[in-house]
Amino acid sequence: MVAADASVELRQRSLHRRKVIWRILNQWPVVVIFVLLVFMMAPYGVAIIISGKTQQQFEVNPFGIILPFYFHQTYATAFRVVVPYILNSLIVSTLSCVGVLFFGSLAAYVFARFEFPGRELLFLLILALLMIPGILTLVPRFVIVKSLGLYNTRWALLLPYIAGGQVMAVFLLRTFMAGLPPEYFESARMDGASEIRCYWNIALPLCASILGVVAILQVLSTWNDLFWPYLTTGTQEHLWTIPVGLLALSRGGQADQQIGVRMAGYVLSALPLVALFAFTSRLFVEGLTSGGLKL
Amino acid sequence: MAVEFGQLGRRLPSARPPSRRGLARRVRKALPLYLFLIPTFLGLVIFLYYPAILAIYRSFFEWDIGLPAKFIGLDNYVTMFTGDRHFVNSLKNMSYVTIWLAFRSTVIPMIVAEMIFAVRSLRLKYLFRVGMILPAIIPTVVVYLLWLFIYDGSIGLLNALLEAIGLGALTRAWLGDPNTAIWAIIFSGFPWVDGVATLIVLAGLQAINWEVIEASALDGASTVQRIFSVDLPLILGQLKLNLVRAIIGAVQMFEIIFVMTDGGPIKSTMVPGLWMYKSGFLFHRMGYASAIGVFLFVIILVLTVFNMRVLQSRD
C-alpha cells in the first residue's frame, strides 16, 4: 500500500517534472530574444569598455577589460569637447519641440473642432506632405534658407524643424482631438469659457499622452539629424549639434584623437536621450504598441 | 496610419451648420480660425510646399545659387541616364539597399515579434519591448561611427573577432575594398532587428482576438500553421506600413554612407542621395541635383502606390 502510494507519487512527480520541463522548453523564445538583445547592445558595451582606456592600453589590448580604467581622464577630456554640442542639441530640440507642440496643437484644434470653408482641402494639403520625401526638398530648402539670411544661424535649424514636425503632429493630434467628447467643450462654453480657454484648459490636458508621443518623435528626429545641420551650420563650430560635432571629432581636426576619448564622447552624447527615455519609455512603448499603426 | 478620410466630411455637433448664404460670408465669419492656421501654413509653405514645387521647376534648368538659371528642358533627366556613369551605378546600390531594408523591416520584425508574443511572462514581455526600443535612442551617427570602427582594417572589432576564431585569412579593410564596402555598409547593424518595426508588428499581434488564436489551437493547428494562416493575414497592415517606411527610407538613404565612406572607394558605395548632394553642393549643379531629387520622389511614389494596391489589407 505504502509502496504503491510512493510509486504513484513518484510517477506524478516525474509527470509534473516533465510538464515543467516542457513548459520551460516551450519558452525557448525567451533565450533567443535575450541573445538578440545582447548582440544589439554589444557594440555599446564595447564602446563603454574602450572609453575607459588610454591609447597605450588600447594598443596592447583593444577589446578586453584591462585595469585600471581611466574613465576620469577620458571622460573629463570628452566632456569639455562634447558639452557645447550637447547644449546646442538641447536648445534646438527643445525649442523646435515646443514650437511643434504649440502651433501643431493649435492647428489640430481648429481642424478638429470647427467647420469652415476649405477645411477638408487644407487638411488634405497637410496630409499630402506626408508623401513628400525630404530628399526632394533638400536643395531648394537650402537655397531658401540662404536667401532668407538664415544660413549659419540657429534659425536655419529651428524654423524648418518646426515646420516639418507639424505635418505629423497635426495629423496625429487632429485625429485624437476629433475623438474627444464634444460635451466637455459645450458645457465649458455654457459656463462662459472662451474658445482659447477650451483649447488650453480642456483639449490640451486631455491630449497629454498623444502630445507626449509627438514630443518624443520630434526630439528623436531633431537630435539625430546629421545632414541638415552639417549643411547649414557646418562652418560655425559654436552652433554644431551632437551629430555634426561627433562627425568632426571622428574625422580629426580635433586635438584629442585618442580612441578612448572619442568613445567617451559617443557615450556622453547618448546620455541625454537615455535619460529622457528612462522617464518616457512607457509612453513611448505604449504609443507604438497601442495598435492603429498600419496601412 | 489608418487615414480616415470618411471622417473629414463629418459635421461636428458643436459646429454651426454651413449656410447656403454665400461663401464670402462664411469665410468672413471663419476669419479668426484662419488666423490660427496662419503660423502652421506659413511654415509649411516656406519650407515644404515652395521647395517641393521649386525642386520640380528647377529640375528643368541649369542652375546654381546666385547665377541666372537657364532653361534646358529635359536635359538634366537625359544626362542622368546617358551621361552620368556614377548616377547609373548608384542606382544599383540603391536597389540592393532597398531590397535588404524591405526584408529587414518585414520578415525579421515578424519573427522577433512572434517570439516576443510567445513569451508568457508579462514582465519579461514588457522588458523585451523596452529592450527593442533602446537602441533606437542612441544617436544614429554614434551607431554609424561605431560600425566604422568595427570595420576598421587595423584596429577593427570584426577583424579581431575573425582572428580569434581562426579566420584570419578573411580579414581586410572592409570599407576600403571596393568589392566589400557596399556590403559592409548594408549588413552593418547586426543583428538587424529594427525595434520600432518589431513593436509595430507586435501591436498587430496583440490586437488579434484571443479567441481566434485559441480556436486555431483547438483545431490542432501548430504554431507555425497558426502564424501563416491566422496571424499573417491579420497583421498585413502593419507589415505594409513597415515596408513603406523602409522603402521611403531606403531610396533616400545616404547619411550612413556619407559618414562611413563618402561614396568611396572609387565611388563603389555611391547612392543617388549622396550623388545629389555632391552634384548640388560640391559641383554647383543645383538644377541637376533637383532633377535627381524629383526622380527619387517619383520612385518612392510609384513603389508606395504599388504597395498599397497590391497588398490590400483585409479591413
Side-chain angles (χ1 to χ4, degrees):
Chain A
M1 196 60 187
V2 176
D5 264 3
S7 89
V8 165
E9 197 178 307
L10 213 72
R11 207 162 59 215
Q12 268 179 350
R13 203 181 290 167
S14 91
L15 232 147
H16 177 70
R17 196 181 300 150
R18 211 181 296 163
K19 233 183 200 166
V20 169
I21 291 172
W22 175 242
R23 278 184 69 162
I24 292 172
L25 280 181
N26 215 7
Q27 285 294 288
W28 60 266
V30 174
V31 182
V32 179
I33 300 166
F34 188 76
V35 171
L36 274 181
L37 285 176
V38 168
F39 273 109
M40 284 162 80
M41 305 297 173
Y44 313 114
V46 172
I48 290 171
I49 291 174
I50 295 176
S51 72
K53 288 181 181 177
T54 63
Q55 195 66 17
Q56 277 168 327
Q57 281 179 323
F58 178 78
E59 273 152 24
V60 173
N61 179 354
F63 307 112
I65 294 173
I66 24 175
L67 298 172
F69 279 123
Y70 287 93
F71 285 124
H72 56 287
Q73 285 180 13
T74 53
Y75 280 82
T77 317
F79 192 79
R80 275 197 302 277
V81 179
V82 173
V83 156
Y85 308 147
I86 293 184
L87 285 179
N88 283 333
S89 278
L90 278 178
I91 292 172
V92 169
S93 287
T94 313
L95 288 183
S96 75
C97 186
V98 170
V100 164
L101 289 181
F102 181 70
F103 293 117
S105 64
L106 205 59
Y109 185 75
V110 171
F111 277 121
R113 290 258 309 134
F114 300 98
E115 186 80 40
F116 52 90
R119 188 175 79 127
E120 284 77 15
L121 180 72
L122 289 175
F123 191 67
L124 272 179
L125 275 176
I126 292 186
L127 280 187
L129 287 176
L130 286 171
M131 285 302 300
I132 303 286
I135 201 121
L136 173 68
T137 54
L138 180 71
V139 173
R141 194 167 62 223
F142 177 79
V143 174
I144 289 164
V145 160
K146 202 156 188 182
S147 63
L148 289 175
L150 306 177
Y151 182 66
N152 275 340
T153 71
R154 232 191 275 286
W155 296 107
L157 305 181
L158 285 174
L159 294 179
Y161 283 166
I162 292 175
Q166 279 182 67
V167 178
M168 201 59 185
V170 171
F171 171 65
L172 289 175
L173 288 169
R174 191 214 72 107
T175 313
F176 195 88
M177 283 181 177
L180 295 177
E183 295 82 28
Y184 290 5
F185 298 98
E186 266 153 37
S187 59
R189 295 288 301 186
M190 298 249 212
D191 292 343
S194 68
E195 202 55 65
I196 290 182
R197 279 190 69 95
C198 282
Y199 157 75
W200 191 258
N201 289 354
I202 299 177
L204 284 193
L206 288 175
C207 289
S209 66
I210 191 86
L211 285 171
V213 172
V214 170
I216 293 172
L217 287 177
Q218 179 71 9
V219 169
L220 266 184
S221 72
T222 52
W223 195 271
N224 275 328
D225 196 13
L226 163 68
F227 203 71
W228 183 249
Y230 172 82
L231 210 55
T232 53
T233 60
T235 57
Q236 303 290 309
E237 201 186 335
H238 67 281
L239 293 177
W240 285 356
T241 53
I242 285 169
V244 185
L246 290 185
L247 188 68
L249 189 64
S250 80
R251 287 189 174 171
Q254 294 281 337
D256 310 294
Q257 272 304 293
Q258 287 189 20
I259 188 149
V261 174
R262 243 198 291 159
M263 293 293 167
Y266 298 169
V267 174
L268 279 178
S269 55
L271 282 185
L273 274 201
V274 172
L276 176 75
F277 185 72
F279 293 108
T280 57
S281 63
R282 188 163 282 271
L283 186 67
F284 197 76
V285 171
E286 244 126 66
L288 275 174
T289 33
S290 63
L293 276 176
K294 61 176 168 177
L295 275 177
Chain B
M1 248 179 270
V3 182
E4 297 150 51
F5 285 101
Q7 266 198 9
L8 292 179
R10 191 171 57 105
R11 189 157 311 142
L12 299 161
S14 59
R16 243 173 275 112
S19 73
R20 285 163 191 254
R21 265 181 297 164
L23 189 67
R25 197 187 141 91
R26 273 161 52 213
V27 168
R28 205 165 51 241
K29 274 199 158 173
L31 268 185
L33 296 176
Y34 296 120
L35 215 63
F36 287 120
L37 292 179
I38 283 177
T40 297
F41 274 93
L42 199 66
L44 296 183
V45 166
I46 296 175
F47 295 111
L48 290 168
Y49 294 118
Y50 181 54
I53 293 164
L54 198 61
I56 297 170
Y57 178 65
R58 287 300 189 197
S59 73
F60 303 110
F61 285 80
E62 201 181 295
W63 176 48
D64 185 30
I65 295 188
L67 296 174
K70 186 174 139 223
F71 182 78
I72 53 169
L74 289 171
D75 273 13
N76 282 330
Y77 293 95
V78 174
T79 310
M80 261 155 64
F81 294 98
T82 57
D84 190 345
R85 196 162 44 89
H86 298 312
F87 176 75
V88 175
N89 283 339
S90 74
L91 290 178
K92 200 173 58 186
N93 286 337
M94 185 188 81
S95 27
Y96 297 151
V97 171
T98 309
I99 291 168
W100 170 245
L101 282 188
F103 175 80
R104 221 182 117 162
S105 66
T106 50
V107 179
I108 297 178
M110 174 85 192
I111 295 170
V112 178
E114 282 287 0
M115 286 198 294
I116 298 180
F117 190 56
V119 172
R120 249 188 245 109
S121 153
L122 285 179
R123 186 180 290 270
L124 269 182
K125 229 178 197 169
Y126 185 74
L127 219 67
F128 286 156
R129 274 156 55 182
V130 174
M132 285 290 141
I133 217 67
L134 202 57
I137 58 162
I138 311 286
T140 41
V141 70
V142 168
V143 180
Y144 301 157
L145 292 173
L146 280 177
W147 278 90
L148 196 61
F149 161 71
I150 289 172
Y151 286 135
D152 192 288
S154 49
I155 57 168
L157 182 60
L158 179 60
N159 280 350
L161 281 177
L162 286 173
E163 296 272 5
I165 57 171
L167 292 171
L170 287 177
T171 59
R172 65 188 76 211
W174 295 95
L175 294 169
D177 182 339
N179 294 315
T180 54
I182 187 68
W183 301 109
I185 292 176
I186 288 176
F187 293 121
S188 70
F190 179 83
W192 313 305
V193 177
D194 178 342
V196 173
T198 305
L199 289 199
I200 289 175
V201 174
L202 186 62
L205 288 175
Q206 283 170 342
I208 295 175
N209 195 336
W210 189 244
E211 285 166 18
V212 180
I213 290 173
E214 266 181 354
S216 82
L218 283 178
D219 288 346
S222 70
T223 310
V224 177
Q225 280 171 331
R226 190 206 79 212
I227 288 173
F228 278 101
S229 53
V230 177
D231 298 359
L232 198 56
L234 287 172
I235 58 167
L236 212 55
Q238 279 81 7
L239 292 177
K240 239 166 60 178
L241 172 65
N242 284 341
L243 188 59
V244 169
R245 275 178 63 233
I247 289 172
I248 292 175
V251 172
Q252 305 188 64
M253 180 270 246
F254 76 98
E255 259 188 11
I256 181 172
I257 289 173
F258 175 69
V259 172
M260 288 174 81
T261 61
D262 203 22
I266 51 169
K267 303 260 192 313
S268 62
T269 56
M270 189 56 73
V271 286
L274 188 61
W275 192 238
M276 182 191 95
Y277 156 69
K278 286 182 183 286
S279 302
F281 294 96
L282 303 183
F283 312 146
H284 301 287
R285 299 166 66 195
M286 291 207 152
Y288 186 63
S290 299
I292 295 180
V294 172
F295 175 72
L296 295 179
F297 167 58
V298 171
I299 289 190
I300 290 175
L301 205 64
V302 168
L303 288 178
T304 309
V305 170
F306 178 78
N307 256 315
M308 306 277 224
R309 283 279 157 80
V310 172
L311 302 167
Q312 291 282 1
S313 47
R314 286 198 189 167
D315 53 18

